[in-house]
Amino acid sequence: SQQQTEPDHRSDLVVVANRLPVDRKVAPDGTTTWKPSPGGLVSALEPVMQRNSGAWVGWTGAPGDAPEPFEARGIHLIPVELSKKDVEDFYEGMSNGALWPLYHDVIAQPQFHRHWWESYVRVNRRFAEKTAENSAENALVWVQDYQLQLVPQMLRALRPDLRIAFFNHIPFPPYEIFAQLPWRRQVLDGLLGADQLGFQRPADANNFLRACRRNGLATRRGMVHLPAEPRFGSADHHPSREVRAAAFPISIDSESIDALGRRPDIQERAREIRRELGDPKVVLLGVDRLDYTKGILHRLKAVEELFAEEVLSPPDAVLVQVATPSRDRVEEYEKMKRDVEVTVGRINGDYGQLGHPAVHYLHQSQDREELAALYLAADVMLITALRDGMNLVAKEYVATRHDEQGALVLSEFAGAAIELPQAFLVNPHDIDGVKAAIVRAAGLSPREATRRMRAMRRRVFEFDVARWASTFLKVAASAAAEPPQSSPG
Ligand code: ADQ
């Protein structure tokens, strides 16, 4: 029953993620086509996926019937169907209304609804089944992120031959917070179906290991020991095994982003942006998904106070805030969007002039080229996340600045802070601290800017996303290849 597809369609390396790396294009005549959406994860995995006849299991982003599997850039894409109701309960509900706020330190109140959880279980099973059908014997399966935490265990039950790895892109919270989850044990068991678990920071891996200990499991040196189950000798005996948990900080395709920053047309666009802004002395920049974890309101408060105190004075200093529309059907996001709009409106009312707003607010997605031009045009990049798994914007800003100028104000609660200690690190809750950091960053001497930027660029080029993927896959393959425990306890 596990082998419904032709063996030659089954893949040796299978990535499982909530979203497929494609965007839907609807032609004027109504026909639908799927365009590959280039992201860091796909481009890092592309070469290894092509070598291993790789497959990617995920949702297209459109509710309703899933299209047949198709190829994109040498990767076999296997769509999983989500109904409108699944999108509401599994995705907007359990994933983004419960797990997302819980895992981000309860910045917003998580809601726990049993019908959300039931949908989460059903949809995770659907992903696991699709993956089981499309994986070759002994294939390596790499499950991504908090929407799919039950897939490792479900997949292991269907296909014990597979080697299973999981990477969590968001934080894993301290146990005191995780313990609020009514289904905490099920989530731990789900994850423990993997051979290798990856987290962004060592602290996330440690939080996970501690959660296991609090639930009665033994851990030792980054490994969780799962005793043989049920008793040795019974029919469905599972030998004991080890699950490894460690940090693998994700990164970006540094070279391709650096190349964008070196393109003459993008440099010209950066100069044009500054002209369009009225040739200010200081351009501050924020680029985020419009999400309460990103601390956009804290940032606006700090900037507003600097304007009020005339430490920075528009139109000599302006803030450009680009915020990608995100999850706008989730209540908390709608509320935050309104708060940002009110705050931006107030700041512009108080400190703007005709034709010269103090805050340029774009609630829009921008293409890669325009983002690169904005990064080049910015004197100070502001990242004030209240909690963030990594924050790739920080690394993208650094990779774009081949001129070794510009300054980065970076929240210590973003995973990226560990790798970029030469940034101006701030506690975003400490508004005076954020203000002081902005002032220092805006007044940085070119020499000091270069010293800091050079060190940060070195890090981002050495540890790019290709290195992240290959390191993780190597470790995952070796974790799974370990001989099974010979003498079960
Ligand atoms: P996100 O929360 O989405 O990712 P981030 O890591 O900053 O956060 O990635 C956002 C991406 O979207 C960046 O590549 C950025 O360039 C792009 N982006 C942001 N605003 C944009 C805009 N207006 N237009 C176009 N592009 C825009 C989650 C976790 C992070 C973790 C990543 C990867 O929350 O902590 O770093 O996954 O693991």
Side-chain angles (χ1 to χ4, degrees):
S1 68
Q2 293 153 9
Q3 300 183 1
Q4 284 142 355
T5 37
E6 306 290 331
D8 59 356
H9 278 147
R10 302 199 308 160
S11 300
D12 292 319
L13 176 63
V14 183
V15 170
V16 190
N18 180 51
R19 281 295 307 271
L20 285 173
V22 291
D23 285 326
R24 183 156 80 147
K25 282 264 174 288
V26 182
D29 67 357
T31 52
T32 294
T33 51
W34 302 97
K35 250 192 64 180
S37 62
L41 192 59
V42 218
S43 50
L45 292 173
E46 219 168 51
V48 47
M49 296 282 267
Q50 287 162 354
R51 274 201 305 278
N52 292 278
S53 66
W56 189 306
V57 177
W59 176 46
T60 58
D65 290 346
E68 287 302 307
F70 57 103
E71 299 280 323
R73 306 217 304 228
I75 303 175
H76 193 54
L77 301 181
I78 301 160
V80 176
E81 173 190 331
L82 289 193
S83 68
K84 243 182 111 225
K85 193 87 181 90
D86 294 331
V87 175
E88 275 170 34
D89 293 344
F90 153 77
Y91 181 65
E92 292 165 354
M94 191 64 208
S95 298
N96 291 332
L99 294 170
W100 178 270
L102 185 75
Y103 283 27
H104 287 88
D105 285 357
V106 194
I107 298 164
Q109 191 58 44
Q111 293 185 38
F112 302 122
H113 296 301
R114 283 162 284 191
H115 67 283
W116 285 0
W117 171 253
E118 284 153 20
S119 173
Y120 187 83
V121 175
R122 272 198 307 277
V123 172
N124 270 250
R125 177 151 296 123
R126 201 176 303 152
F127 274 85
E129 283 166 356
K130 266 273 192 269
T131 308
E133 286 165 19
N134 289 282
S135 303
E137 188 78 21
N138 298 319
L140 179 57
V141 177
W142 189 4
V143 183
Q144 311 282 329
D145 229 357
Y146 64 104
Q147 302 94 346
L148 301 176
Q149 294 175 101
L150 306 180
V151 169
Q153 184 193 33
M154 291 171 168
L155 194 55
R156 180 173 290 274
L158 291 167
R159 290 286 306 273
D161 61 295
L162 297 177
R163 300 171 296 162
I164 304 171
F166 178 94
F167 184 77
N168 201 43
H169 289 256
I170 68 173
F172 195 90
Y175 190 67
E176 288 66 23
I177 288 176
F178 182 70
Q180 291 180 20
L181 183 65
W183 309 282
R184 62 194 187 199
R185 183 68 211 213
Q186 289 94 315
V187 166
L188 289 180
D189 287 341
L191 291 169
L192 288 167
D195 300 291
Q196 177 73 51
L197 296 168
F199 297 90
Q200 300 277 26
R201 300 171 309 153
D204 298 312
N206 286 335
N207 286 342
F208 173 79
L209 291 166
R210 185 152 167 267
C212 290
R213 286 195 294 278
R214 293 294 301 267
N215 280 267
L217 294 163
T219 72
R220 199 168 62 92
R221 282 195 277 138
M223 284 193 287
V224 185
H225 177 75
L226 299 179
E229 214 189 353
R231 292 286 299 275
F232 184 59
S234 83
D236 55 347
H237 169 71
H238 296 284
S240 69
R241 58 187 192 90
E242 312 289 335
V243 180
R244 300 204 282 196
F248 299 86
I250 199 170
S251 192
I252 55 168
D253 187 353
S254 313
E255 259 178 51
S256 79
I257 290 175
D258 172 72
L260 280 179
R262 292 178 191 270
R263 256 169 56 181
D265 57 327
I266 289 177
Q267 293 177 6
E268 177 48 37
R269 173 64 190 142
R271 286 189 289 272
E272 186 180 58
I273 287 171
R274 289 191 76 108
R275 282 198 297 277
E276 286 173 356
L277 294 172
D279 283 319
K281 290 200 187 73
V282 180
V283 176
L284 311 172
L285 175 66
V287 172
D288 317 77
R289 264 189 317 100
L290 190 55
D291 193 298
Y292 49 78
T293 58
K294 305 293 183 184
I296 298 172
L297 288 166
H298 291 64
R299 182 184 317 162
L300 288 172
K301 190 174 177 62
V303 170
E304 182 174 25
E305 288 189 13
L306 289 172
F307 289 168
E309 293 157 9
E310 296 178 23
V311 177
L312 295 177
S313 300
D316 269 356
V318 298
L319 169 66
V320 178
Q321 176 64 55
V322 184
T324 327
S326 184
R327 305 177 190 171
D328 39 19
R329 288 161 46 87
V330 180
E331 203 181 296
E332 283 284 345
Y333 287 77
E334 223 180 288
K335 184 180 168 301
M336 201 220 17
K337 176 166 168 281
R338 281 197 305 274
D339 291 344
V340 169
E341 288 164 354
V342 167
T343 308
V344 169
R346 184 181 62 234
I347 300 176
N348 280 331
D350 289 345
Y351 308 106
Q353 295 174 9
L354 287 178
H356 299 283
V359 179
H360 298 254
Y361 173 58
L362 301 174
H363 180 234
Q364 297 156 27
S365 183
Q366 305 290 334
D367 60 30
R368 277 158 48 87
E369 285 78 8
E370 182 72 359
L371 269 191
L374 282 162
Y375 291 146
L376 279 182
D379 301 298
V380 181
M381 182 82 217
L382 297 177
I383 294 169
T384 52
L386 306 176
R387 181 57 77 196
D388 213 334
M390 175 55 59
N391 196 295
L392 296 179
V393 170
K395 292 185 174 181
E396 290 168 2
Y397 179 66
V398 167
T400 309
R401 299 307 300 247
H402 60 88
D403 59 351
E404 298 181 333
Q405 288 301 299
L408 176 62
V409 172
L410 176 60
S411 166
E412 60 189 53
F413 302 126
I418 298 176
E419 293 174 83
L420 304 174
Q422 299 82 7
F424 291 91
L425 295 181
V426 294
N427 168 2
H429 298 281
D430 170 14
I431 301 296
D432 287 335
V434 174
K435 286 163 64 184
I438 293 174
V439 170
R440 281 188 64 201
L444 202 59
S445 73
R447 225 180 106 100
E448 177 64 6
T450 298
R451 190 189 67 77
R452 290 171 181 257
M453 191 55 83
R454 196 174 279 167
M456 293 193 285
R457 285 175 62 78
R458 208 175 293 132
R459 172 76 199 189
V460 167
F461 279 92
E462 195 175 345
F463 293 91
D464 65 0
V465 73
R467 175 142 176 202
W468 170 78
S470 63
T471 307
F472 185 88
L473 287 171
K474 204 160 90 199
V475 171
S478 79
E482 262 171 22
Q485 301 278 310
S486 49
S487 54

